Amino acid sequence: MSTGFQGKFHRQNMLSRFAKELVRRSRSKCELCEKSGAKLEVCELPPFGEEPFPDGCVFICEECRKQIDNPKKTIPSHWRCLNNSLWSEVPAVQVASFRMLRRLAHSERWAEELLENAYLDPETEEWARQAE
Ligand SMILES: [Zn+2]
């Protein structure tokens, strides 16, 4: 596995190649908050394997990305969308939703309840619990 700047560049380059496929999968809406008409970006979910792959990524808007990357900027009301995204047919979307809910459940009762009722298939749940 290549490391350093070149490795990072290579990875970004690969991720950008998934955009076309992810546009189709997401129908051009943020896969978490369903915002349409927004600029969407490919966000790879940890843990990162040797090579990125589309099913290991979510296609999300800048607002969702910002809050995922900066726990201090989390606005709980924005994440009511997880009510829907948690039931997505796309495992990566379920994983991203599940992880965000776990973060919110520390302070938000609704998130805790949603988590209690969540059902992920065992393989997806194992993935969701990695990289914690
Ligand atoms: Zn979004």
Side-chain angles (χ1 to χ4, degrees):
M1 189 174 165
S2 49
T3 51
F5 177 75
Q6 213 178 350
K8 201 174 167 189
F9 181 78
H10 173 69
R11 207 165 183 101
Q12 276 306 324
N13 203 20
M14 287 199 60
L15 288 179
S16 64
R17 277 188 225 159
F18 301 158
K20 206 169 172 185
E21 182 173 342
L22 293 177
V23 163
R24 209 177 308 132
R25 190 178 83 186
S26 67
R27 298 186 190 90
S28 299
K29 287 193 288 188
C30 173
E31 289 189 298
L32 292 176
C33 74
E34 296 183 27
K35 188 172 174 183
S36 57
K39 183 175 172 284
L40 301 175
E41 47 185 300
V42 182
C43 174
E44 194 182 10
L45 301 175
F48 305 133
E50 196 133 324
E51 293 282 341
F53 58 104
D55 287 342
C57 300
V58 287
F59 203 43
I60 58 175
C61 72
E62 284 175 324
E63 186 60 34
C64 287
R65 180 67 193 255
K66 190 177 80 189
Q67 295 194 38
I68 285 173
D69 288 347
N70 303 289
K72 282 182 189 150
K73 293 196 172 143
T74 305
I75 302 163
S77 60
H78 176 80
W79 296 102
R80 292 285 181 158
C81 58
L82 298 176
N83 258 310
N84 292 325
S85 61
L86 187 63
W87 310 105
S88 167
E89 288 167 7
V90 180
V93 175
Q94 291 189 315
V95 166
S97 305
F98 187 83
R99 286 180 180 168
M100 199 61 198
L101 272 179
R102 304 244 307 165
R103 187 191 293 177
L104 291 162
H106 293 299
S107 57
E108 301 294 312
R109 180 76 191 120
W110 63 266
E112 202 182 325
E113 276 170 18
L114 192 52
L115 261 187
E116 277 165 15
N117 295 315
Y119 177 79
L120 274 65
D121 71 55
E123 208 177 306
T124 308
E125 184 161 348
E126 197 188 314
W127 176 19
R129 290 181 184 280
Q130 283 169 0
E132 282 188 340

